[in-house]
Amino acid sequence: MSLYDELLRPIPPLGVRRVVIGISWALVECETGCGLAQTPRRDAPGCQPIPGAGDLANFDLRTLAEMTRSLNPMESALGMAAVNAFHNRYDLYGSNENGLDAFGNVDGPVTIVGRFPGLDRHLKSYRIVEREPREGEYPESAFGELARDSAGIVITASALANRSAEHLFELARGKRIAIVGPGTPLATSLYALGVEVLAGSVVENADLAATIVSQTGGAMALKKTCRYVTLKAPPYE
């Protein structure tokens, strides 16, 4: 079963309360939760306006979530926000440990897909992989080779929204994997696919989060609307 099949499998056709898409984030709210996902750059390949705009809140949650399969990056991001609205429920609790600390004591380098702030505070040895690498970072094409000798793999949640995650999972097969970021689906069924750590967010103030998203706010602005939750697969709990 694919990553997206696993995420979509339990999602029912719940009613949707609100859909907001900003320059940085997409937000979908239903009765049981509010999900976030990072939106693509407007010039991303294949990025197009979403058909049905203006009527999206009248779609059911399952229909929106199925957009994760779309080749339009904007639809895929909206789909992941719907997926997270289901999995990152208001009543879900867990550790508030920073997900980057999960591999803080491993022997060997940790390969990180995505640029996270403050990595030196959390990891002893790491390599950063980015689509547009800066000095000292690696391009995406180097991930497969870097993964081979990695003691851990950290994948940014935005890789789920932009549909690069399945390829990364394939290259990281057999390695310890963490998914980290506000858009991480807190779906423990992903343990069966080799994920050890899920570090995401549960929105507690959906009204404020929606306002921030609509006003082009980023992750730092959204931080005050959420509590962070980290889940670990047995026996790493």
Side-chain angles (χ1 to χ4, degrees):
M1 184 174 289
S2 78
L3 170 64
Y4 295 99
D5 288 340
E6 191 60 53
L7 289 170
L8 290 165
R9 179 178 50 78
I11 300 178
L14 296 173
V16 171
R17 288 182 173 177
R18 175 162 39 189
V19 175
V20 184
I21 303 174
I23 196 172
S24 300
W25 292 87
L27 176 147
V28 173
E29 181 188 7
C30 68
E31 181 179 349
T32 56
C34 182
L36 297 165
Q38 196 165 9
T39 53
R41 294 191 329 193
R42 186 64 184 84
D43 61 352
C47 198
Q48 300 290 332
I50 297 177
D55 196 41
L56 293 172
N58 292 322
F59 290 24
D60 66 70
L61 190 68
R62 175 75 189 201
T63 299
L64 290 181
E66 287 283 354
M67 290 185 183
T68 56
R69 304 185 191 278
S70 174
L71 297 179
N72 177 353
M74 193 62 76
E75 284 190 327
S76 180
L78 175 59
M80 273 309 304
V83 166
N84 289 339
F86 175 77
H87 289 290
N88 298 17
R89 304 182 314 274
Y90 294 131
D91 64 354
L92 179 64
Y93 288 86
S95 167
N96 63 359
E97 174 187 1
N98 190 306
L100 296 172
D101 289 329
F103 297 152
N105 294 318
V106 298
D107 294 323
V110 176
T111 298
I112 303 173
V113 179
R115 191 179 294 122
F116 293 89
L119 288 172
D120 289 337
R121 298 196 304 268
H122 304 285
L123 298 168
K124 294 186 293 186
S125 175
Y126 59 87
R127 296 87 62 96
I128 297 173
V129 174
E130 268 287 345
R131 285 190 167 179
E132 296 178 0
R134 299 173 183 172
E135 184 177 356
E137 298 176 348
Y138 294 85
E140 288 182 325
S141 58
F143 177 76
E145 182 177 350
L146 293 173
R148 291 191 192 103
D149 72 340
S150 294
I153 305 285
V154 175
I155 298 175
T156 174
S158 63
L160 289 147
N162 67 30
R163 294 196 56 84
S164 64
E166 282 193 312
H167 179 59
L168 296 171
F169 269 51
E170 190 65 31
L171 294 173
R173 188 184 298 274
K175 297 294 182 178
R176 302 177 67 182
I177 299 173
I179 304 176
V180 178
T184 298
L186 297 169
T188 56
S189 59
L190 295 185
Y191 296 160
L193 300 182
V195 178
E196 178 181 320
V197 179
L198 295 163
S201 61
V202 172
V203 175
E204 294 192 305
N205 188 334
D207 288 338
L208 181 56
T211 299
I212 290 170
V213 168
S214 72
Q215 295 178 6
T216 75
M220 287 300 295
L222 285 167
K223 190 173 183 180
K224 59 190 172 188
T225 73
C226 307
R227 54 184 166 81
Y228 290 102
V229 174
T230 296
L231 305 177
K232 294 183 180 181
Y236 305 108
E237 296 175 300

